[in-house]
Amino acid sequence: MSVVSNSTVVILGSTGSIGTQGLDVIARHPERFTVTGLAAGGAHIELLARQAAQFRVPEVAVFDSTKIPALKEALQQAGVRDTRVTGGPDAVIALAGSGANVVLNGITGSIGLEPSIAALKADSQLALANKESVVAGGHLLFSAQVRDDQINPVDSEHSAIWQSLRSGTHAEISKLVVTASGGPFRGWKRADMANITPEQALHHPTWNMGPVVTINSSTLMNKGLEVIEASRLFDVPPDRIDVTVHPQSIVHSMVEFVDGATICQASPPDMRLPIALGLSAPDRMDNVAAACDWTQAATWTFEPLDSEAFPAVQLARHCLGASEKHTAVLNAANEQAVHAFLDHRLPYLGIVDTVKAVLDQMDAELRGSPLFTDVEEMGQIELEARHRADDLINKQ
């Protein structure tokens, strides 16, 4: 679907990394987009108010409803008088389903699933940066589509695959190749990682992202989640999805076709490029991000993944092959473990170890029906996974 000229846009997670960069893209193309709604968690109220003032947004929703008075005051101080303010998870879902031409979902975590579903049911084009929507409740998300081409992937890796797939048909795909920067601990052995601190893990060598995504990138759990997402988004089995470590982060992912050709998408690491394409596809916009400088010498390297040091990808593959419920538990337990690590309550190696332990504990009860019947069932399984993760973390 081609996004119409002067498209209306709702941005979920507007104060986060994806949201702020999305608004930067929109600010460069005011003739193409009108922001009709913003939603954020509530941690950055003043920024949310400034965004609403800059883009003259008619409605703002804050996930934490206790922040409504502070938001109203911040809007008044920013000179905004006529913006509607709502609060709570249902308000965010309602805003997502308000019928905008495009909804950019930059929420982190599986709480982004219901807003994604609401956007699809409202026939909006969904620019999806919330990978947990696919990982935790894949078929719930896809069954909400009213059109086959309604989801525009915004993760740089999936956007790269999406772009590369224009070179051939689905039947011509041999494999997908997902690239990984390797994170800050590329080349480290497991024995070297025992005393890694949150400060070290938050220092990503090429990307500027939110804390949860950055920690996931350091453990390569992010890459495991991306393998799951790629398999489900593009209907390719996991044994035909490879991961290669590419520390320069220039080649964002590739598609290998049956004739031996490999098509890649390459650009300097800048999330504004996949965000812009997610907002405007199938059209491309100018003045988005810098291109590669072909007048300068450059070396691109690709290395095999060290699965012994970084077992998260193999764990994700196992869950993908087991069931949708396994991938939801993987994601929920990982979120709990990452937050515990950031709070200095769990050692670095304990992140993936805790996730695996939760999966081992719950494996028998996850067998049977592989798919969730509804969001409520998914929420119950996730909650159980979080409780078990917390129990394991507290024992450590």
Side-chain angles (χ1 to χ4, degrees):
M1 173 184 172
S2 179
V3 173
V4 299
S5 178
N6 195 22
S7 297
T8 54
V9 181
V10 164
I11 298 184
L12 311 178
S14 69
T15 60
S17 175
I18 295 294
T20 53
Q21 292 179 87
L23 287 170
D24 180 64
V25 169
I26 289 170
R28 300 181 187 197
H29 299 272
E31 75 290 350
R32 294 189 62 123
F33 303 104
T34 299
V35 182
T36 56
L38 298 174
H44 304 287
I45 292 298
E46 291 77 13
L47 174 57
L48 182 57
R50 291 197 301 272
Q51 291 173 339
Q54 179 182 354
F55 293 92
R56 300 179 182 178
V57 180
E59 183 173 356
V60 177
V62 60
F63 191 90
D64 182 354
S65 58
T66 66
K67 299 296 180 68
I68 290 177
L71 178 56
K72 288 182 175 179
E73 182 179 348
L75 286 168
Q76 286 185 344
Q77 292 178 351
V80 178
R81 298 289 183 268
D82 53 358
T83 292
R84 179 171 177 251
V85 176
T86 59
D90 288 344
V92 175
I93 294 168
L95 183 60
S98 60
N101 295 124
V102 188
V103 175
L104 172 60
N105 188 348
I107 296 171
T108 298
S110 58
I111 59 169
L113 174 61
E114 288 191 89
S116 291
I117 290 173
L120 293 174
K121 287 183 174 180
D123 198 20
S124 297
Q125 200 70 17
L126 177 62
L128 184 62
N130 173 251
K131 63 171 59 66
E132 294 86 356
S133 289
V134 181
V135 170
H139 98 278
L140 297 174
L141 177 74
F142 299 135
S143 62
Q145 292 185 98
V146 297
R147 290 177 283 104
D148 290 338
D149 62 348
Q150 207 174 346
I151 298 176
N152 298 347
V154 170
D155 272 352
S156 61
E157 294 82 1
H158 303 95
S159 179
I161 292 169
W162 185 43
Q163 294 174 62
S164 299
L165 283 172
R166 293 187 184 187
S167 298
T169 68
H170 188 273
E172 294 169 337
I173 299 171
S174 174
K175 66 174 64 174
L176 307 180
V177 183
V178 178
T179 57
S181 70
F185 310 121
R186 179 177 62 88
W188 289 38
K189 299 301 180 185
R190 182 176 174 84
D192 302 328
M193 299 180 184
N195 298 316
I196 286 173
T197 66
E199 292 73 24
Q200 288 175 294
L202 287 169
H203 186 66
H204 197 279
T206 53
W207 290 102
N208 180 19
M209 305 170 291
V212 174
V213 179
T214 304
I215 299 302
N216 284 345
S217 294
S218 77
T219 63
L220 267 68
M221 180 62 78
N222 211 40
K223 218 48 52 180
L225 300 180
E226 286 166 9
V227 168
I228 297 170
E229 186 178 8
S231 178
R232 292 176 174 166
L233 278 175
F234 305 113
D235 192 23
V236 174
D239 61 350
R240 289 168 52 198
I241 303 176
D242 289 346
V243 174
T244 185
V245 176
H246 170 55
Q248 293 80 21
S249 296
I250 300 294
V251 174
H252 298 289
S253 278
M254 300 173 269
V255 178
E256 180 184 298
F257 291 98
V258 292
D259 61 357
T262 299
I263 306 297
C264 74
Q265 184 264 318
S267 58
D270 190 331
M271 279 303 298
R272 289 174 299 181
L273 194 153
I275 290 169
L277 193 60
L279 292 172
S280 68
D283 304 322
R284 293 181 183 270
M285 297 186 292
D286 60 5
N287 189 29
V288 171
C292 296
D293 183 355
W294 303 108
T295 67
Q296 301 296 316
T299 300
W300 300 350
T301 59
F302 300 90
E303 308 164 7
L305 174 67
D306 183 349
S307 296
E308 188 174 320
F310 299 97
V313 175
Q314 285 301 104
L315 187 60
R317 286 186 188 276
H318 165 76
C319 292
L320 178 59
S323 77
E324 183 176 77
K325 294 179 179 179
H326 284 79
T327 58
V329 168
L330 172 87
N331 179 69
N334 181 69
E335 287 181 8
Q336 297 303 105
V338 168
H339 287 303
F341 169 68
L342 288 170
D343 291 341
H344 298 273
R345 294 185 291 113
L346 186 70
Y348 183 77
L349 290 177
I351 298 173
V352 178
D353 287 350
T354 297
V355 176
K356 185 178 185 306
V358 171
L359 283 162
D360 289 343
Q361 286 184 7
M362 297 184 66
D363 183 67
E365 60 197 88
L366 298 176
R367 300 290 173 178
S369 175
L371 300 176
F372 292 116
T373 56
D374 51 36
V375 174
E376 287 72 26
E377 184 189 12
M378 189 199 83
Q380 291 171 358
I381 291 288
E382 281 198 318
L383 186 61
E384 178 63 21
R386 294 180 195 279
H387 284 326
R388 297 207 186 194
D390 287 341
D391 287 343
L392 289 167
I393 290 163
N394 291 335
K395 288 176 181 176
Q396 294 189 50

